Amino acid sequence: MSEREERRTTQGVEYEHVGEEYLQQRQLQRGAAGWVLLAGLGVAYVISGEISGWQFGLAEGGWGGLLIATILTAVMYTAMVYSLAELSAAIPVAGAGYGFARRAMGVWGGFLTGTAIVIEVAIAPAAIATFIGGYVESLIGFGGPVVYLLFYAVFVGMLVYGTGEALRIMFVITAAAVVAIVVFVVGMIPHFDPANLFNIAPKDAAGASTFLPLGYLGIWAAFPYAIWFFLGIEGLPLAAEETRDPARDMPRGLIVAMFALLAFAALILIFAPGGGGSAEIQASDAPLTDALASPNAYGGKNALFAFVNVVGIAGLIASFYSLIYAYSRQIFALSRAGYLPRWLSITSRRHVPWVALVVPGVIGFLLSLSGIKGGALLVLISVFGATISYVLMMLSHIILRYREPELERPYKTPGGILTSGVALVLGVASVIAGFLVDPRVLIGTAIVYAIMIAYFALYSRHHLVAQAPEEEFEAIERAEAELR
């Protein structure tokens, strides 16, 4: 039975002190990763975005529209990564974005940020499952629900087994995916033709041309799919409590991973449509293999096709695997602090949050069965949740720079609030773009938000855990205020 502390903050929040047993049941494995594993994890989060998902941007903006959108999103993510490097070194908690916003904007800011991240990282694996199904079907002629179930069962099970082992396996899978991308690019170089980039016929739209076949608005419409090239890198700070030296390793892992992803995105954006043709792969579930088999390239299946298909699936698996890891840690942190039902944060004897792995896994599997062709709408909903969190995290960086200038910052963002301000502005543009592409993303996200906000407003904000790492600073600030 917990000892209840009857106190209220200015935000109408009540805390409960919990016993030592509560926290002992909610411990993660410490020291499981150094900066090399973190960099691998950062690439793993995202690398599926190079394998599939980005190609839908060709249908929305043509190659020129997707190119401009990708450059802008690359600027946004690079600025955001430098900002997150500072925040994750200064506030190394499993809540990551929720923890940053909690410190900067209070419980409501933390809750809304954490919820946005949950929407992103819980729905993204469902979208990736559909892409895995597409590549498996391309290879053996069979995909669908059985493939989705198999992958969810195997990789949730591996993460339940243990964190250190899971991260090392993830690193190997990611390395295989990198090999597939390099082999694909080398194989497409002889077939590269700039004309293939611009073979989508211009539409009747303002500013339409062979470079921008869907006009100026196509640039904006391509934003959510350009984001897919980088989506997930912001989840790396979720591993802070399982990192050997977060102050040193987290910034290094984030920055190394980001520059690797910039290189991969540039190579894929140039050589996949430049070899296979933008028109030929704009609606494909398996754009790399379809580009290889395109009449513009090899004109059918061959050994290269088979290799990229088999090893390329590793890229999808890497992101699928790592995003499952991400949603479990975000849900674990929110649950441990009392924002979500507390039973979700129970850990096993191996210090793994197994409930936070299994429950969202079941929900994700059901979403993958929803019949949304190619996972395109799932991509949009995941991106929409992500961009909301980007806005809130960058706002947190700016607020903390002004409000807590004395906060110990082992790493400082180059450019300071100017850097996070650039990411903030581009993040706002990305939120608007997701809604413009398909209003259903706002409806889907709003429904999830409404359910979680109702739970928080009516119940969990009256039962937060005082000793949760993300909440302890509230008590410290209160004590300091009383001494003044």
Side-chain angles (χ1 to χ4, degrees):
M1 186 75 79
S2 64
E3 177 190 349
R4 187 175 180 79
E5 180 187 10
E6 296 292 349
R7 77 169 188 268
R8 287 181 177 270
T9 70
T10 56
Q11 296 171 311
V13 174
E14 296 177 28
Y15 286 94
E16 292 179 4
H17 278 293
V18 295
E20 188 65 27
E21 182 182 357
Y22 178 90
L23 296 175
Q24 288 177 350
Q25 293 173 338
R26 291 160 175 82
Q27 294 290 324
L28 296 176
Q29 184 178 346
R30 304 285 176 169
W35 77 266
V36 175
L37 273 182
L38 288 175
L41 177 59
V43 174
Y45 277 138
V46 185
I47 200 165
S48 70
E50 275 67 33
I51 307 297
S52 192
W54 61 270
Q55 73 278 7
F56 300 127
L58 295 170
E60 297 292 340
W63 189 79
L66 181 57
L67 172 66
I68 296 172
T70 300
I71 292 171
L72 291 172
T73 56
V75 172
M76 177 181 75
Y77 272 93
T78 303
M80 182 173 68
V81 159
Y82 278 113
S83 303
L84 291 178
E86 175 181 306
L87 291 170
S88 60
I91 311 172
V93 291
Y98 137 64
F100 310 151
R102 170 66 183 89
R103 182 145 188 166
M105 297 183 286
V107 290
W108 276 102
F111 171 76
L112 292 173
T113 305
T115 299
I117 295 171
V118 168
I119 291 170
E120 171 198 355
V121 296
I123 290 179
I128 294 170
T130 67
F131 300 146
I132 292 173
Y135 272 90
V136 170
E137 188 169 358
S138 174
L139 183 66
I140 63 175
F142 177 80
V146 174
V147 172
Y148 308 157
L149 178 60
L150 175 65
F151 277 85
Y152 263 107
V154 169
F155 291 103
V156 168
M158 290 172 68
L159 283 163
V160 167
Y161 179 72
T163 300
E165 298 85 349
L167 291 178
R168 290 176 180 84
I169 293 170
M170 202 181 301
F171 192 87
V172 173
I173 295 172
T174 303
V178 170
V179 170
I181 289 175
V182 172
V183 170
F184 168 81
V185 170
V186 171
M188 292 300 275
I189 288 174
H191 300 278
F192 176 79
D193 184 345
N196 292 333
L197 300 171
F198 310 112
N199 67 352
I200 296 176
K203 311 297 182 184
D204 184 15
S209 64
T210 54
F211 182 71
L212 294 173
L214 289 99
Y216 301 127
L217 282 178
I219 300 171
W220 207 345
F223 248 80
Y225 302 106
I227 285 173
W228 202 248
F229 275 126
F230 310 105
L231 182 91
I233 182 68
E234 72 283 357
L236 190 54
L238 291 167
E241 288 186 27
E242 294 161 284
T243 300
R244 292 179 196 139
D245 183 358
R248 182 180 68 90
D249 293 337
M250 191 59 71
R252 189 179 297 181
L254 273 165
I255 293 166
V256 169
M258 187 65 217
F259 278 95
L261 293 167
L262 289 170
F264 295 148
L267 291 170
I268 292 297
L269 183 57
I270 292 170
F271 288 102
S278 294
E280 285 75 12
I281 64 173
Q282 62 181 330
S284 169
D285 285 338
L288 301 193
T289 52
D290 284 351
L292 288 168
S294 166
N296 299 316
Y298 291 93
K301 298 180 180 181
N302 56 17
L304 180 60
F305 175 98
F307 177 83
V308 171
N309 201 326
V310 172
V311 184
I313 290 174
L316 296 171
I317 291 172
S319 292
F320 180 74
Y321 196 18
S322 54
L323 286 166
I324 290 173
Y325 170 88
Y327 75 56
S328 69
R329 270 50 183 181
Q330 184 66 81
I331 291 171
F332 165 82
L334 288 167
S335 169
R336 179 179 61 181
Y339 288 79
L340 296 179
R342 295 182 185 179
W343 52 267
L344 285 168
S345 56
I346 293 174
T347 54
S348 67
R349 291 181 181 179
R350 300 177 67 88
H351 302 298
V352 173
W354 67 273
V355 183
L357 282 163
V358 172
V359 173
V362 172
I363 296 171
F365 169 68
L366 295 176
L367 284 173
S368 70
L369 301 177
S370 61
I372 302 171
K373 187 179 186 315
L377 185 56
L378 291 174
V379 168
L380 285 173
I381 294 174
S382 176
V383 167
F384 196 65
T387 53
I388 291 172
S389 76
Y390 300 166
V391 170
L392 294 172
M393 287 190 292
M394 293 304 95
L395 189 59
S396 299
H397 181 271
I398 294 169
I399 290 172
L400 287 172
R401 273 296 187 99
Y402 277 113
R403 202 180 76 185
E404 297 191 47
E406 302 304 318
L407 176 67
E408 184 178 354
R409 292 173 169 85
Y411 175 87
K412 290 189 176 181
T413 304
I417 61 170
L418 176 62
T419 300
S420 52
V422 168
L424 174 63
V425 171
L426 290 170
V428 171
S430 300
V431 171
I432 297 170
F435 171 65
L436 290 178
V437 172
D438 192 332
R440 289 179 295 173
V441 303
L442 178 60
I443 296 170
T445 309
I447 290 171
V448 175
Y449 251 126
I451 293 170
M452 296 184 76
I453 287 173
Y455 176 80
F456 180 69
L458 298 175
Y459 178 78
S460 67
R461 72 187 177 96
H462 302 295
H463 300 275
L464 297 184
V465 176
Q467 297 103 311
E470 297 85 356
E471 301 299 315
E472 283 186 323
F473 87 95
E474 175 76 24
I476 294 171
E477 286 190 339
R478 180 179 294 274
E480 290 176 347
E482 290 174 355
L483 291 174
R484 295 189 191 106

